[in-house]
Amino acid sequence: MSGPAAAAATGAGAAAPTGDPGAPTGDLGDGTYRNPVLAADWSDPDVVRVGEDYYLTASSFGRAPGLPLLHSGDLVNWTLVGHALERLEPAAAFTEPRHDRGVWAPSFRHHDGRFWIFWGDPDHGVFQVNAPSVRGPWTTPHLVKAGRGLIDACPLWDEESGEAYLVHGWARSRAGFNNRLTGHRMSPDGTKVLDEGRTLVDADRIPGWFTLEGPKLYRHDGWFWILAPAGGVATGWQGAFRSRSFLGPYEERIVLAQGDTDVNGPHQGGWVRTQRGEDWFLHFQQSGAHGRLVHLQPMRWGADGWPMLGADGAPVRVHRKPDLPEQPPSRPAVDDTFPGGRFGRQWQWTANPAEGWASQHTDDGLRLGCVRSDRLDDLRSVPHVLTQRLPAGALAVEVGLRLDSTAPGARAGLVVLGDAYAWTGLERAPDGTTRLVHRFAPGTADRERDAAHARPVSGDRVLLRIEVTADARCRFSYTTDDTTDGPVRLGPEFAATPWRWVGALLGLFAGAPEGAGHAGTAVFSAFRVTAA
């Protein structure tokens, strides 16, 4: 075998870069940066500084591993260094995809020589994990407070009093109400709350405020501070609340709003002070199919003691970088050559993984088992899809695929996955031949259908390609050794869509219809994302 498909299938000449070539550059290289600094769906970010290092985590909902861990030396250039949550708990609740459940809006803290992450699972309660190092080992999830509707949890260890506190929000879909923040005294070891809780802020009593959520709790200048967004993810604002007592009463103020900018709904994030005394705020912006992109805003404290974010309370697009040591440009990786069958940190399953979904071996390339399932006609319900975030910006995605299965109906491919989805790949026909298929499912449908007529291909290997425009319209194509005029276009454009809380995902999968016996494997190689 020769030609472009062969090069992709073997990973020839492939190298995994550390950057994200498909995303806009945050670091402009002249002492300034452009927002977003993380141009992909790193939803509900929170940040902590330890010494000269900055760490960020984000919502991961029902994907595993969860709780991504990102590192930076300058708050602009970030790399993904791991995950704090290997499997979601309770494990039985996440054997199937739960795209809008699981880990909501975590909080990242460093206390007593350990890293701590708290989050609210809307169906089970408030959990925490902790570790002596950001690279672990992380403890198994511990349930701090059980209950439905508990979300967006944040702890505070008050160095002035020695007391520990916990604040959280509420999900109307489970609790029947929202728009309020509840506070507890917490045991210093972070394992339990010590009281029934008290409403700290009832935003139904604040004219014009709705959907108050995502609280982050701090101590500053003798005040208890809660930084919390309201107004909805696409249209809202960032609020600040302060009180001399943890139990209140709290004053409120809007400290960041869209104003005359194009940064809609700027809110839900975390404050960090640098080792050189500067204050900065990281938050997200809802951006359609790309999900929640992370922005960095300057922050200062006004003469009246209130925080001031951005430029007079409006988001900045371009700004000088933090006064921190210069760092090389970097972004969380997206490319992967799958050395030895291992996949990179950027990949997550759509549910807790099981044995047989992926296997290591001596060659390069990702080997996925063709898992037998009765739900292959709806990839949104299949747990064995390996996914990563769809970067913002115009880009091209390529991956080599070889189908090593003789099972009728076995298939594997590259998918853009959201409330609606589309994929292209190889399928074993009933007569034993291999065919190239392209299928899609609208958001209102419970099963997929053909987006283009199936095409017979010679051999069992193909190079799959998706060209993605800046507004997330996707054009699928493929190349085989018989292709002489470049990639062959498949079907009409597909407009990528997010899920309820999650941006669209790029995914790889292999499967086969229900039946007896091993259904074979699919091998993916040289996954690449390049700027278009």
Side-chain angles (χ1 to χ4, degrees):
M1 183 180 183
S2 61
T10 61
T18 58
D20 181 345
T25 301
D27 192 337
L28 297 180
D30 60 359
T32 66
Y33 69 91
R34 180 186 298 277
N35 278 317
V37 294
L38 283 167
D41 185 39
W42 303 96
S43 176
D44 312 317
D46 196 22
V47 61
V48 64
R49 177 179 69 86
V50 179
E52 297 185 354
D53 295 296
Y54 297 86
Y55 300 100
L56 181 147
T57 191
S59 295
S60 49
F61 299 98
R63 304 194 300 278
L67 291 174
L69 302 168
L70 285 77
H71 171 261
S72 177
D74 63 1
L75 294 171
V76 173
N77 295 286
W78 294 88
T79 57
L80 178 63
V81 297
H83 291 80
L85 187 63
E86 182 177 353
R87 300 175 65 86
L88 290 98
E89 296 290 344
F94 296 97
T95 58
E96 307 296 337
R98 299 286 185 266
H99 304 297
D100 61 349
R101 304 185 184 186
V103 177
W104 284 24
S107 294
F108 213 169
R109 296 293 181 264
H110 190 261
H111 166 71
D112 196 25
R114 298 185 70 85
F115 290 89
W116 300 78
I117 302 179
F118 282 66
W119 73 94
D121 178 316
D123 298 301
H124 300 101
V126 173
F127 289 87
Q128 60 96 337
V129 292
N130 60 88
S133 164
V134 75
R135 297 182 183 274
W138 289 87
T139 61
T140 58
H142 176 81
L143 185 61
V144 178
K145 179 186 177 183
R148 283 180 56 81
L150 311 182
I151 59 170
D152 305 359
C154 182
L156 171 68
W157 286 271
D158 183 7
E159 295 181 359
E160 296 182 23
S161 67
E163 296 286 333
Y165 303 99
L166 181 76
V167 64
H168 66 79
W170 294 89
R172 180 185 295 274
S173 58
R174 275 74 163 184
F177 62 90
N178 67 349
N179 208 31
R180 70 183 68 169
L181 305 178
T182 295
H184 293 270
R185 290 179 58 244
M186 183 178 71
S187 62
D189 63 2
T191 60
K192 60 185 177 182
V193 294
L194 302 178
D195 54 35
E196 294 299 314
R198 175 170 170 172
T199 298
L200 304 183
V201 179
D202 183 351
D204 287 344
R205 299 177 179 271
I206 306 175
W209 285 60
F210 61 96
T211 319
L212 178 65
E213 57 188 353
K216 298 295 183 289
L217 183 59
Y218 307 95
R219 264 303 233 154
H220 173 68
D221 197 26
W223 296 87
F224 286 89
W225 289 91
I226 300 175
L227 301 184
V233 297
T235 56
W237 58 87
Q238 177 66 38
F241 301 82
R242 72 178 185 181
S243 173
R244 291 295 185 184
S245 166
F246 173 69
L247 296 177
Y250 283 84
E251 311 168 65
E252 84 280 345
R253 182 175 293 186
I254 294 174
V255 293
L256 184 70
Q258 179 172 351
D260 295 330
T261 75
D262 62 351
V263 182
N264 59 291
H267 67 303
Q268 188 132 334
W271 161 42
V272 65
R273 174 165 288 176
T274 73
Q275 63 268 34
R276 298 181 179 177
E278 290 185 344
D279 296 305
W280 296 85
F281 186 77
L282 286 152
H283 68 91
F284 75 73
Q285 175 198 15
Q286 176 68 33
S287 185
H290 295 112
R292 301 173 181 183
L293 315 183
V294 177
H295 290 231
L296 177 66
Q297 301 297 335
M299 176 175 168
R300 62 185 178 90
W301 296 88
D304 58 1
W306 285 87
M308 304 177 68
L309 274 60
D312 298 323
V316 301
R317 272 294 184 187
V318 177
H319 195 271
R320 71 161 180 86
K321 291 171 58 179
D323 180 19
L324 292 170
E326 194 68 23
Q327 303 292 318
S330 62
R331 286 292 181 273
V334 292
D335 286 15
D336 206 340
T337 54
F338 310 111
R342 297 179 300 275
F343 50 84
R345 298 185 182 101
Q346 67 268 34
W347 297 96
Q348 297 170 290
W349 299 103
T350 51
N352 280 336
E355 291 290 332
W357 290 4
S359 58
Q360 295 185 14
H361 48 90
T362 57
D363 299 324
D364 290 350
L366 174 67
R367 185 174 295 167
L368 297 183
C370 292
V371 180
R372 292 192 178 274
S373 171
D374 62 352
R375 289 169 290 165
L376 284 182
D377 287 335
D378 185 359
L379 293 180
R380 295 161 298 198
S381 67
V382 172
H384 52 275
V385 181
L386 192 62
T387 66
Q388 63 166 286
R389 294 158 181 82
L390 174 67
L395 52 90
V397 183
E398 288 186 343
V399 67
L401 169 62
R402 184 179 77 242
L403 183 61
D404 292 342
S405 173
T406 59
R411 66 199 68 166
L414 170 64
V415 60
V416 178
L417 193 61
D419 183 57
Y421 75 86
W423 70 276
T424 190
L426 297 176
E427 182 179 65
R428 187 68 64 193
D431 63 2
T433 60
T434 304
R435 58 189 181 188
L436 193 291
V437 296
H438 180 38
R439 295 184 178 134
F440 82 107
T444 55
D446 60 1
R447 61 188 296 121
E448 64 189 35
R449 60 180 188 263
D450 286 336
H453 293 297
R455 307 182 183 196
V457 294
S458 59
D460 298 318
R461 305 185 185 195
V462 68
L463 175 64
L464 306 175
R465 179 179 174 88
I466 308 174
E467 296 174 12
V468 186
T469 65
D471 57 352
R473 288 175 290 117
C474 304
R475 303 171 184 133
F476 289 78
S477 61
Y478 73 97
T479 302
T480 68
D481 290 338
D482 297 331
T483 304
T484 58
D485 298 323
V488 179
R489 179 79 179 271
L490 288 165
E493 280 190 343
F494 168 75
T497 63
W499 273 305
R500 188 175 182 186
W501 311 123
V502 181
L505 301 169
L506 296 171
L508 306 174
F509 78 95
E514 279 193 308
H518 180 60
T521 62
V523 179
F524 295 90
S525 54
F527 186 94
R528 292 191 181 96
V529 178
T530 55

